[in-house]
Amino acid sequence: MSGHLIVKELGLQPYAPTWQAMREYTDRRDATSSDQLWLLQHPPVFTLGQAGKPEHLLDPGDIPVIQTDRGGQVTYHGPGQLVAYLLLDLRRAGLGIRALVTGLEQATISLLAEYGIPGNARPDAPGVYVNERKIASIGLRVRRGCTLHGLSLNTDMDLRPFTRINPCGYPGLAVTQLADLGVKCDIPNVGRAFSGHLAKALGYTLEFIKTRSTPLGESELSSPD
């Protein structure tokens, strides 16, 4: 067993303050701090990972672009996409980064199977795909032996901004989402179902914490560890 995982449902949150809150929590945590899973959505934003190349931003237009410290290339976040951020102590959990990526992929594939959708992972490109179309992206950072960032799952969103980038650095990569695959989506319910599959994949027990859908700040950082 990897331990206990606190799940926080945070609603719609701006990207930059959320990223900052993840870093602050990671920097101040100690051996007694809880592992956490943050479930949320972001307003429209393109993010470039550490390996991100500006040439993969084809036409960002009026959508903000943020250079971040996660792994990977460029992706898009917007309302209607489930974002799952994992704040885990890898050493305490006995997990390696490859095992964590595999766990995230397997949890997503299991979630899709629950909806009758066959999904698969690819050894050459982390994430989850349905009929060669990407439905979930993964980008992580390890800091002080702990993870931040995580996974985004296209649920019921406007997919057109993906045409303004080379998703994950792959020109012409097609994307899809649950709504286009016949799933009636309610993001909180999808998030809770995903949490269950992730807990099973990684060996965690879950505890859901009610939070207010207000911008992340010191009040969120000081909430239960």
Side-chain angles (χ1 to χ4, degrees):
M1 294 290 289
S2 293
H4 191 68
L5 187 65
I6 290 178
V7 184
K8 296 184 177 181
E9 298 171 290
L10 299 171
L12 185 67
Q13 296 287 344
Y15 184 86
T18 305
W19 174 28
Q20 181 63 23
M22 284 191 289
R23 289 193 296 179
E24 290 179 7
Y25 183 75
T26 301
D27 286 345
R28 73 182 181 89
R29 65 181 299 168
D30 58 28
T32 66
S33 298
S34 65
D35 288 335
Q36 299 189 7
L37 173 63
W38 294 359
L39 302 177
L40 60 143
Q41 302 173 62
H42 288 307
V45 63
F46 294 117
T47 65
L48 275 171
Q50 288 183 313
K53 297 179 180 179
E55 56 263 35
H56 292 307
L57 283 162
L58 306 178
D59 180 25
D62 59 353
I63 298 177
V65 178
I66 295 179
Q67 179 80 52
T68 186
D69 62 350
R70 62 164 173 77
Q73 286 276 347
V74 62
T75 195
Y76 170 71
H77 299 302
Q81 180 190 69
L82 173 68
V83 178
Y85 288 138
L86 275 168
L87 306 174
L88 307 182
D89 184 328
L90 290 178
R91 291 170 292 195
R92 184 173 63 197
L95 288 170
I97 194 67
R98 182 63 252 180
L100 178 57
V101 170
T102 299
L104 284 164
E105 291 171 337
Q106 187 54 56
T108 306
I109 291 168
S110 297
L111 174 68
L112 293 174
E114 182 179 323
Y115 299 129
I117 299 168
N120 65 279
R122 286 172 40 176
D124 61 323
V128 177
Y129 301 79
V130 176
N131 297 325
E132 303 303 318
R133 293 174 176 266
K134 195 163 196 177
I135 194 168
S137 299
I138 296 172
L140 295 163
R141 170 75 189 274
V142 178
R143 185 180 174 110
R144 300 178 65 241
C146 301
T147 61
L148 55 162
H149 300 287
L151 173 141
S152 58
L153 173 65
N154 302 335
T155 306
D156 188 4
M157 62 189 301
D158 181 359
L159 294 177
R160 289 176 295 177
F162 283 102
T163 67
R164 296 159 67 173
I165 60 174
N166 291 327
C168 304
Y170 290 90
L173 178 64
V175 297
T176 190
Q177 60 181 336
L178 291 177
D180 292 344
L181 297 168
V183 178
K184 186 176 181 181
C185 299
D186 175 273
I187 283 196
N189 287 338
V190 173
R192 291 171 200 136
F194 171 78
S195 301
H197 288 291
L198 184 66
K200 184 175 181 180
L202 298 180
Y204 278 94
T205 58
L206 299 178
E207 178 186 355
F208 286 83
I209 300 292
K210 291 184 178 180
T211 60
R212 295 174 298 171
S213 296
T214 54
L216 285 167
E218 183 58 36
S219 61
E220 184 56 51
L221 288 170
S222 61
S223 60
D225 283 354

